[in-house]
Amino acid sequence: MAHFAKPENALKRADELINVGQKQDALQALHDLITSKRYRAWQKPLEKIMFKYLDLCVDLKRGRFAKDGLIQYRIVCQQVNVSSLEEVIKHFLHLSTEKAEQARSQADALEEALDVDDLEADRKPEDLQLSIVSGEKGKDRSDRELVTPWFKFLWETYRTVLEILRNNSKLEALYAMTAHKAFQFCKQYKRTTEFRRLCEIIRNHLANLNKYRDQRDRPDLSAPESLQLYLDTRFDQLKVATELGLWQEAFRSVEDIYGLMCMVKKTPKSSLLMVYYSKLTEIFWISSSHLYHAYAWFKLFSLQKNFNKNLSQKDLQLIASSVVLAALSVPPFDRAQSASHMELENEKERNLRMANLIGFNLEPKFEGRDMLSRSALLSELVSRGVLSCASQEVKDLFHVLEHEFHPLDLGSKIQPLLEKISKSGGKLSSAPSLPEVQLSQYVPSLEKLATLRLLQQVSKIYQTIRIESLSQLVPFFEFSVVEKISVDAVKNNFVAMKVDHMKGVVIFGNLGIESDGLKDHLAVFAESLNKVRAMLYPVPSKASKLGGIVPNLAETVEKEHKRLLARKSIIEKRKEDQERQQLEMEREEEQKRLKLQKLTEEAEQKRLAAELLERRKQRILREIEEKELEEAQALLEDTEKRMKKGKKKTLLDGEKVTKQTVMERALTEQLKERQEMEKKLQKLAKTMDYLERAKREEAAPLIEAAYQRRLVEEREFYEREQQREVELSRERHESDLKEKNRLSRMLEFKETFQGEVIGRRQAEFDKIRTEREERISQMIRARKQERDIKRKQLYYLTTEEERIRKLQEEEEAHKREEAEKRKKQEAEHKAKLDEIAEKQRQRERELEEKEKKRREELLKGTDAPPARPAEPTAAPAAAAPPAAAPAQASGKYVPRFKRQTAEVSAPAQTPPAADSDRWGNRGPPPADDHWGSNRGGPSQKPDRWVPGSRGSDRPSGGDAWRSGEERRSPFGSSRPRPAQR
């Protein structure tokens, strides 16, 4: 790792490496600098280094390096210069987004180039093969090669930035902006999997903030700015989830918003609440939770009416119609009546949870399902005036379905209303936060509700009705659908009915009688069985003493065991409580210490800003008081005008009037007016009830008389139609007989023509069949010939391969034989050479022995007086001078005068012709020499080099021999070296 004296040197080194194309080395050098412990104090050059470092990370797609560098840079500038970290992160996000967009545009341009290129040119063979193997189009392949890697890197960038900023209170805005960009990325490119992971990451960040509350730079959720940023992030998450169709994730986002509000005990703004309830309506409608969907619409209507000052009358009417139709779409029966105890408990918990989400109660104190019901919602809609704001079709539909009793005309009355409602809806101009309202989505549920109401009303006036008549009463569905709806109604005890398909009738029954008859039959049966058991096996009157003691003993032991277990659990619980209290005390002490330290640090700043804040506060209070006084005067004038119009008491003169008192009096007057209106409505409802009851009592006999008249008329009509049908059948039969007699004359001609046609077609068929058989036979012969040719080719190829294989085997066998023969010859030649070497060694040993004897004889002869140089010497004496060299070579002592005498006399001597040493002359070697014996005679030249064989070319062979012996004397042997090839 390279060390730099200054950070600028590292930046220069990185630029040099980039210029020569070594970006990886430049990145590694900057990474070593950033992660080094020598530069832990923030400097301005470090920011430039981070910019260059992130450029390299983005170019090389090294997300891990970028994350490590950002973490180290956060440590460096967290307490010194957080704005620098913000700029670096923004630069990183900008680079990643820009690269992804460039890759996307490059892929689109490539696709356009592929589309615009020569349309008449054929595709390349490699393109065809690649498309067949991969099975994907050119755009998919270009996206996978160009766009996908950059999208992965951009996703890693968002994750890295969110991870770095998750617990930094000074960069909450950047955290929210990054989350918003990540949501838009998932929305733009339909990345549902990444969106789920992103929601889970943000959810875990918030959970960790609540879990580790003692962090130094932890964001404070109680601050309004922090809370608003977190809420905006959650609402963005909710919007994107609904747009992507991830309804489960959308519901989890709603729960996140509710949990965040419960955490800080604050209610969000009305604009955010409108978005909250609008998304809830979509979620509940998709999940088929019609009751919660209706309550969400009701909450949304209340918010729009109270807080949206720009809401037009048309939009208000459309929202009110949606609320009423959503409430009517709720099934009129409780599905939990036939559920088990466990299901009831789960339903109760679910309803409580949904009630908290819909009502937005931060501290829920109510229990049970009664708070959310269809009847309660409808009564609340009427009392709150929602129904009066709805359209006329919706009002008529509400009254027909909920208040009127028209079993025979219910379908005909509702159908035109539903057709009008299905055409209503549209975008709300004065409420842009709401989705597009389409009332047609409620039509199927309303048709089902109308069917249930019709069955309920028909069951009250009929005991039996034909299936055809019931089908005519329900114009919305076929009878099979009506039967499914009736099954659900009977299951939930909404109506009691049976369908008899054998007789073609529907039988209605009394729901109360049937339920009472089967209510307690199991309990009665159990009591009867208990009485029978008591009669068969009576309880003994007297019990033994042991039998009386043992049960008490067992009961005592069990009680004692339970008491000990309870005591143990109490002790453990107390220990846990004590430990928890101790931990809480320690945590509180630590918090107090930190708070005290923080207060001491902020005391000076507060003291300096106190006077300025006080003056500003007094000025604001004066302005508020003046504004409230003006508003109070305006409200007072408005209230006096209304009181004069309503002939009410005016305010007392001289009374101190404030905005609060005026508002309280106005609310009191409104409450009184509402109470009076409710009393009038109750009185009117009672009067309408009496009138309706009296009208029905008077209409009952008239309906019965009309029914009897209708029966008589229908019977007469049936008999007339029956007689008319008989007459028409008789006339048709007579006309058919006449037609038969008229056509019987043409029967012979018809048979003749039929025979000709059949014969002609038979001939054509035989001809076609013959041609087909010939064609099949030709194909069979051709295929047979092809099979024969293929068989012959296969046989030829097989035999040729066998012949080539045999030739290869023979060649390999021949090579092996030659190799063995060569090895054998080499072994024989080596044996001959070894034999010759052995003979040579034996000959040398003999020569050495002879030489040794000769030297001894020469040494013995040195005691005689030396001869004169001029006189011819004898043969034994002639060998004396050369003996000095062997004597010297043998390592024996030779006197100096003898060596000098030998040196002086040696040149004057004439070498003998026959007894001369074979190393000192050019004559042929002796007869007993091994070279002559081995080469066939003395005239044959040796094929190896031997010292002294070229003695004639040298001044003296003896000198050469002596010099050779002197060179070999240190080894203790005068034997020449063996011959070498």
Side-chain angles (χ1 to χ4, degrees), residues 93 97 154-159 161-162 174-191 194-199 201-202 233 236-237 240 244:
L93 290 172
T97 308
L154 181 58
W155 168 244
E156 287 295 328
T157 300
Y158 288 136
R159 291 188 60 179
V161 174
L162 291 175
L174 184 58
Y175 180 89
M177 184 193 72
T178 306
H180 177 71
K181 287 186 176 181
F183 288 141
Q184 295 303 317
F185 166 79
C186 297
K187 172 186 171 183
Q188 183 178 359
Y189 301 108
K190 308 298 181 184
R191 309 303 303 177
E194 284 77 11
F195 179 76
R196 292 191 185 94
R197 292 175 183 169
L198 180 62
C199 296
I201 288 170
I202 296 176
T233 303
D236 286 341
Q237 175 181 334
V240 175
L244 291 176

Side-chain angles (χ1 to χ4, degrees), residues 826-840:
E826 289 178 357
E828 291 176 357
H829 184 62
K830 186 177 180 182
K832 287 181 181 180
L833 293 177
D834 293 341
E835 185 179 358
I836 292 170
E838 183 64 29
K839 288 181 180 180
Q840 182 180 357

Side-chain angles (χ1 to χ4, degrees), residues 257-276:
I257 294 172
Y258 177 75
L260 191 62
M261 291 298 97
C262 289
M263 192 185 304
V264 298
K265 304 294 183 183
K266 290 182 180 179
T267 305
K269 298 179 181 178
S270 59
S271 59
L272 295 179
L273 282 178
M274 290 177 189
V275 177
Y276 175 87

Side-chain angles (χ1 to χ4, degrees), residues 291-555:
L291 180 61
Y292 307 136
H293 172 75
Y295 267 100
W297 261 116
F298 179 60
K299 284 286 185 179
L300 192 57
F301 172 82
S302 301
L303 286 171
Q304 288 288 340
K305 187 177 180 181
N306 294 330
F307 295 98
N308 193 353
K309 304 301 182 182
N310 300 324
L311 188 64
S312 62
Q313 186 64 30
K314 182 180 178 181
D315 293 343
L316 180 64
Q317 183 181 5
L318 192 57
I319 296 173
S321 301
S322 300
V323 176
V324 176
L325 293 178
L328 289 176
S329 299
V330 181
F333 46 79
D334 190 1
R335 296 181 181 273
Q337 289 183 0
S338 59
S340 62
H341 177 70
M342 185 63 68
E343 292 176 351
L344 288 175
E345 290 297 323
N346 293 337
E347 185 69 13
K348 181 180 178 181
E349 183 179 356
R350 180 171 177 268
N351 284 338
L352 179 60
R353 182 181 171 191
M354 294 299 119
N356 291 333
L357 289 178
I358 295 171
F360 219 92
N361 297 318
L362 302 182
E363 294 180 357
K365 297 181 180 179
F366 56 87
E367 293 263 18
R369 293 176 286 104
D370 295 334
M371 296 300 296
L372 299 180
S373 64
R374 184 176 185 273
S375 58
L377 178 59
L378 291 175
S379 62
E380 194 168 3
L381 292 181
V382 175
S383 63
R384 293 287 184 90
V386 180
L387 184 61
S388 60
C389 297
S391 61
Q392 188 61 37
E393 296 85 6
V394 175
K395 293 178 183 177
D396 296 340
L397 182 66
F398 178 84
H399 287 294
V400 170
L401 290 175
E402 297 298 324
H403 299 295
E404 296 181 4
F405 185 83
H406 299 289
L408 301 180
D409 301 328
L410 184 62
S412 60
K413 287 186 176 183
I414 288 178
Q415 192 170 10
L417 297 176
L418 292 180
E419 291 178 357
K420 292 181 181 179
I421 290 172
S422 62
K423 298 177 183 178
S424 302
K427 187 68 177 177
L428 301 178
S429 58
S430 59
S433 61
L434 295 184
E436 186 176 0
V437 178
Q438 293 295 339
L439 301 182
S440 58
Q441 64 180 352
Y442 301 107
V443 172
S445 300
L446 294 174
E447 290 176 352
K448 184 177 179 181
L449 175 65
T451 305
L452 290 172
R453 289 299 185 194
L454 190 143
L455 291 175
Q456 186 184 30
Q457 294 179 9
V458 169
S459 66
K460 293 181 180 179
I461 62 174
Y462 290 106
Q463 290 184 350
T464 305
I465 187 172
R466 295 178 63 186
I467 293 177
E468 294 82 3
S469 301
L470 187 60
S471 300
Q472 293 176 0
L473 294 177
V474 183
F476 320 110
F477 304 116
E478 297 179 359
F479 185 76
S480 59
V481 181
V482 176
E483 192 174 5
K484 292 180 181 179
I485 296 172
S486 63
V487 168
D488 198 8
V490 171
K491 181 181 178 181
N492 293 281
N493 296 329
F494 182 73
V495 66
M497 59 178 290
K498 298 178 182 178
V499 181
D500 192 349
H501 289 280
M502 296 292 292
K503 297 180 181 180
V505 295
V506 177
I507 303 170
F508 297 98
N510 193 340
L511 190 61
I513 294 175
E514 290 182 0
S515 62
D516 292 335
L518 300 175
K519 186 175 181 180
D520 299 329
H521 64 286
L522 291 177
V524 174
F525 182 68
E527 290 177 0
S528 302
L529 287 178
N530 193 13
K531 290 179 182 178
V532 171
R533 185 188 61 79
M535 293 174 65
L536 292 176
Y537 303 101
V539 179
S541 58
K542 294 183 180 180
S544 62
K545 185 176 181 181
L546 183 61
I549 293 173
V550 172
N552 295 332
L553 180 61
E555 185 177 358

Side-chain angles (χ1 to χ4, degrees), residues 632-650:
Q633 291 176 357
L635 285 174
L636 181 59
E637 293 175 359
D638 189 14
T639 306
E640 289 178 354
K641 290 178 181 179
R642 279 196 300 105
M643 286 181 177
K644 288 177 182 179
K645 288 181 182 179
K647 296 182 180 179
K648 294 197 177 175
K649 240 175 161 189
T650 58

Side-chain angles (χ1 to χ4, degrees), residues 626-729:
E626 293 174 358
K627 189 175 180 180
E628 285 184 353
L629 183 59
E630 293 176 358
E631 291 178 355
Q633 291 176 357
L635 285 174
L636 181 59
E637 293 175 359
D638 189 14
T639 306
E640 289 178 354
K641 290 178 181 179
R642 279 196 300 105
M643 286 181 177
K644 288 177 182 179
K645 288 181 182 179
K647 296 182 180 179
K648 294 197 177 175
K649 240 175 161 189
T650 58
L651 296 172
L652 296 176
D653 296 334
E655 185 179 359
K656 186 176 180 181
V657 178
T658 61
K659 181 180 177 182
Q660 188 67 24
T661 56
V662 173
M663 291 179 66
E664 288 177 358
R665 294 201 178 190
L667 290 174
T668 305
E669 295 298 331
Q670 289 179 3
L671 184 60
K672 288 180 180 180
E673 291 177 1
R674 187 179 298 174
Q675 289 176 355
E676 291 177 359
M677 184 61 68
E678 288 179 356
K679 289 179 182 180
K680 289 180 181 179
L681 287 174
Q682 290 177 359
K683 186 176 179 180
L684 181 60
K686 191 173 182 181
T687 305
M688 292 297 293
D689 190 11
Y690 289 154
L691 290 174
E692 186 68 22
R693 187 181 296 110
K695 184 170 63 175
R696 293 188 182 183
E697 288 177 357
E698 292 294 331
L702 299 176
I703 292 172
E704 183 65 26
Y707 175 69
Q708 295 298 330
R709 288 196 304 273
R710 183 70 177 272
L711 286 178
V712 173
E713 292 173 357
E714 288 182 353
R715 188 178 293 109
E716 292 176 356
F717 177 73
Y718 173 74
E719 291 175 356
R720 287 197 305 270
E721 290 294 324
Q722 188 71 17
Q723 184 65 26
R724 182 170 169 271
E725 184 66 27
V726 170
E727 293 175 357
L728 289 174
S729 298

